[in-house]
Amino acid sequence: MSRSKKPPRSFFLKGTVTVARELLGMHLVHVAADGARHRGRIVETEAYQGPQDLAAHSARGRTPRTEAMFGPPGHAYVYLVYGMWNCLNVVTARVGRPHAVLLRALEPIGAPGARTWGPGLLCQALGIGRELNGEDLLGNTLWLERPPARTPRVRIARATRIGVDYAGDWARRPWRFYDLDSAYVSTAPAPMRAYRGRVGK
DNA sequence: ATTTGGATCGGT
DNA sequence: CCGATCCAAATT
């Protein structure tokens, strides 16, 4: 018997850092409004653990923008940055605890040449916009899939998060994970630590 | 009502 | 390093 490919709701409650780590290797799938299907393999993530974590949007309280981050686990939080890019997060804690994992890069699957390195390009390539803010990831529009069993182990790097210099000490937390051997990882400060591990629990 | 600056990216 | 481009949130 094969287990379902979609991780169950409980997956998103395993702890934000654990979820960030275990999302590596999973597939992200989006069925656009016009029926077009997009798919990619997750190769880079970051954990955000508000409200204490000053790098998290939710550190500044519950606002209209961050509402989804305060909502139930396993839903999308999509926001606009720098006036032109959308970024996709997965909510990873119970209602009222604003944790999320930012999906930073994918390896394209079935779309050679797709530009999916970095959170903004990832959303652009998969057709993900703010209309998906709050979307349930256990539905049939936007979801995750575990990789096939017996996927080879990959080298995983753990490092500091990108673009959060404003967060003081929190910027030094090693809450970024990426596949060391992927050509699609966005900017790469040297890993603080690397190890081999199985991906996509 | 106005200002500020951002979980980015590509080009110089 | 810089500019693009828009909007949320803070400030006046």
Side-chain angles (χ1 to χ4, degrees):
Chain A
M1 259 316 287
S2 78
R3 48 185 195 169
S4 155
K5 291 203 275 189
K6 284 181 193 173
R9 188 81 57 199
S10 57
F11 167 75
F12 301 97
L13 291 169
K14 292 177 82 170
T16 303
V17 171
T18 300
V19 172
R21 156 72 179 71
E22 294 190 358
L23 279 170
L24 294 179
M26 285 197 192
H27 289 190
L28 174 68
V29 187
H30 177 218
V31 180
D34 64 1
R37 268 171 117 87
H38 305 274
R39 174 184 292 268
R41 175 178 173 273
I42 298 170
V43 296
E44 181 182 355
T45 62
E46 283 176 0
Y48 286 88
Q49 305 187 77
Q52 295 86 0
D53 174 8
L54 294 182
H57 290 165
S58 53
R60 263 132 10 234
R62 192 166 185 151
T63 65
R65 180 180 62 156
T66 58
E67 193 56 32
M69 247 187 116
F70 287 81
H75 289 243
Y77 165 46
V78 183
Y79 67 92
L80 176 75
V81 255
Y82 298 112
M84 55 195 114
W85 307 100
N86 290 309
C87 294
L88 170 66
N89 294 254
V90 170
V91 176
T92 53
R94 64 173 197 262
V95 172
R97 256 191 117 208
H99 289 204
V101 171
L102 172 66
L103 301 188
R104 287 194 56 94
L106 302 178
E107 236 164 63
I109 291 176
R115 294 149 45 94
T116 51
W117 52 84
L121 289 174
L122 181 160
C123 283
Q124 185 179 78
L126 291 225
I128 293 164
R130 276 165 295 163
E131 69 280 358
L132 292 174
N133 189 33
E135 189 78 14
D136 187 356
L137 300 176
L138 271 71
N140 296 311
T141 300
L142 181 65
W143 68 89
L144 297 160
E145 289 182 10
R146 295 186 181 97
R150 288 195 306 292
T151 305
R153 303 212 296 177
V154 299
R155 294 196 300 155
I156 295 163
R158 188 169 176 167
T160 54
R161 296 171 292 179
I162 302 295
V164 296
D165 293 345
Y166 56 82
D169 286 342
W170 294 91
R172 292 201 264 281
R173 300 292 187 112
W175 287 349
R176 174 171 182 241
F177 295 89
Y178 59 94
D179 176 341
L180 244 189
D181 299 310
S182 174
Y184 288 85
V185 167
S186 66
T187 337
M192 300 174 72
R193 193 174 155 219
Y195 51 93
R196 297 184 72 80
R198 195 173 295 285
V199 113
K201 288 276 296 199

